[in-house]
Amino acid sequence: LALALQGRELFREGPPLKLLVMSATLDSESVATLMGGAALLTSQGRQYPVTTHYGPNYELREPIAPLVIQAVQHAIAKHEGSILVFLPGQREINRVARGLAEILRDSELGSQLLIAPLYGSLNLDRQQQAIQPPPVGKRKVVLATNVAETSLTIEGIEVVIDSGLVREAIFDAATSMTRLATRRISRASARQREGRAGRLGPGHCYRLWSEEQDARLVAHTSPEILQADLAPLALQLLAWGVEDPAEMAWLDPPPATAYQQGLDTLELCGALYRNAEGRHQLTPQGVRLAQMPLHPRLAHMLLVGSDIQAQDTGCLLAAVLSERNPLAGQGTDINLSLAVLMGESRCLPELQGWFRRTWQQARRYAQLGLDSAVYRPGKAAISVPPDDVVGVLLASAYPDRVARLRPGGDGSCYQLANGRSAVLPAGDRLAGEAWLAVAQIGGQVGESTDRIYGASPFNPAIFENILSPLVREEDQVEWDYRSNQFVAQRRRLVGSILLASEPLAEVPEEARGAALLGMLRRKGLGILPWSRSL
């Protein structure tokens, strides 16, 4: 919308550009104001009356599954028709499904009820089972995430049970990582969920929180721009010719810290530089990345795949990372998924849909790779041993997530190049690998340790050739209290990971002075008049 509004101002010749903004849960007054007092049209649609029932106060630290199971049992006994249950995520859906199955196993109702999960990573057949009308003589209990809030119409629903929770991915600009947070929904989302019970006739909605808590819900869901990875946005704005987002008219301006982190990511991908005026400007590679319809990290990985004559692997890897991986439960090693896609391991029948979708996406990426080869004429191919290809590709896309095993422990704790620590799941096959190239990492808000979800073994010898731009050298001079002398060394690092160090034969006077000043400050002595001469 910001780009469209600026475009309308820039290109005034001819008929004016007409803009129509639509949404089911829009903060319409704010949008109308941003658009200069635009006309506001509202369509209520056909909605049957829904009776809303509230529960007692619910606190986020309480487990939600037992309350949901109890509410489903009540709704089954009191109402007819199918039931739609909103839960925050797949974990809660599985818990409720198992609990209901145990309760209904020996009940007469067990043969009449069809429990149907519905979330994004389910295969298409199981999603259709949840959406389509139930078989004759049966009722459905659909256990869904907020994917069923606005995008789908589920036949036969007369009762909605709303946990009032949603699990959101929140990007942490300080660490370049995504964390999952379970939050209360907004009033707008609660209305959307409630309306699902009144699509086909009068219905009932059971809200598993109190009426008092309902009054305290925020009006609208937090905008994605406030909690997303802004590297793609920064790339598109620079391609449009905008360096400072403040030049644009926004409903919610992008946060400065997150936007700067996006610029840092683009710099890691070789997409931008600072010109003579100190302004960010796209490199030829950045121009190409802006034309590729995927995240800049993955687009950069496709170009590296062309450079190392591993286009097929690069395209498949980008496709795997572009959607949820159904093989993630078998371990964090991404090579497991690649082996299935390349025919080296058996593809189970329930994974055929994922197999086809991934290959279709990989073929689209392959065409982008062909275009990039035309765009980068004369680019010399670099030979990489086959066993190192996946690690090189992942490290190219995620250089800040190259990981080195921490000494001691059980072989599951790693130091990342960005300075953070992360762990592998217990018993993972990658545990004990000295180096990892990590692609997928995250954690729950409030947890002190991040978890690795997708990675590959990595050969650090690659830092000597194709990944040498990631290595930096720095001289470190410190005062050693034990020996009462300067300790000076030249260090080679990837991010915050030390690769090697060697002593410096000579220590510059400026470095000696800085080291002494640092020592005095640490001792609390302040800056003394004679510090400069030292």
Side-chain angles (χ1 to χ4, degrees):
L1 179 58
L3 288 169
L5 289 171
Q6 190 181 69
R8 185 168 62 178
E9 291 298 314
L10 292 174
F11 307 113
R12 295 185 177 183
E13 296 181 3
L17 176 66
K18 295 181 180 180
L19 300 178
L20 175 65
V21 180
M22 298 191 299
S23 173
T25 57
L26 194 66
D27 183 0
S28 51
E29 297 293 344
S30 298
V31 178
T33 300
L34 179 70
M35 298 176 69
L40 183 60
L41 304 178
T42 303
S43 173
Q44 297 295 341
R46 186 174 67 177
Q47 178 70 48
Y48 291 95
V50 176
T51 303
T52 303
H53 310 268
Y54 290 94
N57 278 358
Y58 169 76
E59 301 300 330
L60 287 175
R61 64 178 177 271
E62 301 175 38
I64 193 65
L67 297 177
V68 171
I69 292 172
Q70 184 179 3
V72 171
Q73 288 179 279
H74 174 81
I76 290 172
K78 193 169 183 179
H79 305 287
E80 297 181 353
S82 293
I83 301 168
L84 172 60
V85 182
F86 283 100
L87 289 156
Q90 182 177 344
R91 181 174 65 234
E92 290 81 4
I93 286 175
N94 291 335
R95 286 176 181 171
V96 172
R98 287 194 298 267
L100 288 174
E102 291 176 5
I103 292 171
L104 298 172
R105 184 178 296 119
D106 300 324
S107 168
E108 293 181 5
L109 288 173
S111 61
Q112 302 172 17
L113 289 171
L114 175 63
I115 300 173
L118 179 60
Y119 47 86
S121 61
L122 272 181
N123 64 52
L124 185 60
D125 290 340
R126 296 192 68 190
Q127 290 189 29
Q128 289 296 330
Q129 184 184 51
I131 296 169
Q132 293 172 350
V136 176
K138 289 200 172 187
R139 300 163 64 187
K140 279 193 307 185
V141 178
V142 180
L143 308 176
T145 61
N146 61 345
V147 70
E149 188 175 306
T150 58
S151 58
L152 300 169
T153 295
I154 301 175
E155 298 290 339
I157 298 299
E158 295 183 15
V159 179
V160 164
I161 296 172
D162 188 359
S163 69
L165 305 176
V166 63
R167 184 162 295 128
E168 296 177 323
I170 300 175
F171 184 75
D172 183 351
T175 62
S176 302
M177 294 181 187
T178 298
R179 307 188 187 285
L180 295 176
T182 301
R183 296 178 169 180
R184 296 188 190 275
I185 59 174
S186 66
R187 284 200 299 274
S189 291
R191 284 196 300 271
Q192 281 293 117
R193 293 181 176 190
E194 177 188 74
R196 294 282 144 175
R199 285 292 182 90
L200 304 176
H204 292 265
C205 177
Y206 289 85
R207 291 178 172 173
L208 303 186
W209 65 93
S210 69
E211 198 164 359
E212 177 190 0
Q213 289 176 315
D214 187 73
R216 298 200 301 267
L217 294 178
V218 297
H220 294 275
T221 303
S222 179
E224 185 180 359
I225 197 171
L226 300 183
Q227 55 194 34
D229 179 359
L230 298 186
L233 172 66
L235 181 62
Q236 292 304 321
L237 290 187
L238 288 170
W240 178 252
V242 173
E243 189 199 25
D244 186 356
E247 301 175 26
M248 315 280 288
W250 304 89
L251 273 174
D252 298 279
T257 301
Y259 193 79
Q260 181 58 51
Q261 191 281 329
L263 294 174
D264 294 341
T265 296
L266 296 180
E267 190 170 2
L268 286 174
C269 295
L272 58 80
Y273 69 99
R274 285 188 178 271
N275 60 22
E277 291 81 31
R279 296 172 61 87
H280 289 106
Q281 187 170 330
L282 291 183
T283 63
Q285 164 131 328
V287 173
R288 180 66 194 118
L289 296 184
Q291 298 170 347
M292 300 173 74
L294 70 168
H295 193 284
R297 289 184 185 267
L298 298 183
H300 175 57
M301 187 173 72
L302 290 184
L303 298 185
V304 172
S306 296
D307 293 344
I308 65 174
Q309 297 181 314
Q311 295 93 329
D312 291 347
T313 303
C315 292
L316 277 176
L317 191 54
V320 168
L321 296 173
S322 295
E323 67 167 82
R324 294 184 182 182
N325 184 359
L327 291 171
Q330 297 183 18
T332 62
D333 191 350
I334 289 179
N335 292 282
L336 295 173
S337 300
L338 294 178
V340 172
L341 291 166
M342 292 179 173
E344 299 168 4
S345 298
R346 178 172 174 263
C347 182
L348 299 175
E350 59 267 27
L351 298 179
Q352 289 297 327
W354 165 79
F355 185 95
R356 288 192 296 271
R357 290 194 307 274
T358 305
W359 267 106
Q360 288 169 357
Q361 187 68 279
R363 292 187 187 100
R364 287 192 284 268
Y365 291 159
Q367 184 59 52
L368 294 176
L370 291 175
D371 294 342
S372 68
V374 173
Y375 185 82
R376 290 149 61 96
K379 183 73 176 180
I382 301 172
S383 177
V384 172
D387 290 344
D388 295 339
V389 165
V390 175
V392 168
L393 293 172
L394 291 182
S396 300
Y398 306 97
D400 47 334
R401 301 179 193 172
V402 172
R404 187 176 194 174
L405 182 66
R406 289 192 181 278
D410 59 358
S412 65
C413 186
Y414 287 79
Q415 179 193 359
L416 302 173
N418 63 14
R420 300 276 298 179
S421 291
V423 297
L424 289 167
D428 192 85
R429 62 181 283 174
L430 291 181
E433 288 282 347
W435 289 80
L436 295 177
V438 179
Q440 296 163 320
I441 191 168
Q444 299 286 342
V445 170
E447 292 184 352
S448 59
T449 304
D450 296 301
R451 176 178 165 177
I452 298 171
Y453 292 99
S456 174
F458 177 76
N459 181 2
I462 300 298
F463 287 130
E464 301 301 324
N465 43 67
I466 188 172
L467 296 184
S468 60
L470 299 180
V471 181
R472 76 178 196 280
E473 288 189 350
E474 68 175 26
D475 293 341
Q476 184 183 57
V477 180
E478 293 182 332
W479 182 261
D480 188 333
Y481 295 99
R482 290 171 296 183
S483 60
N484 285 324
Q485 62 182 359
F486 287 105
V487 175
Q489 53 183 209
R490 177 158 293 162
R491 309 197 309 165
R492 300 180 71 244
L493 302 103
V494 173
S496 62
I497 299 177
L498 179 65
L499 294 179
S501 64
E502 59 182 17
L504 284 174
E506 297 183 2
V507 182
E509 289 297 325
E510 183 179 352
R512 289 174 180 265
L516 278 175
L517 287 175
M519 179 268 289
L520 292 172
R521 289 193 180 100
R522 286 193 295 272
K523 283 180 168 292
L525 298 178
I527 301 177
L528 303 180
W530 39 265
S531 298
R532 190 180 300 273
S533 63
L534 287 176

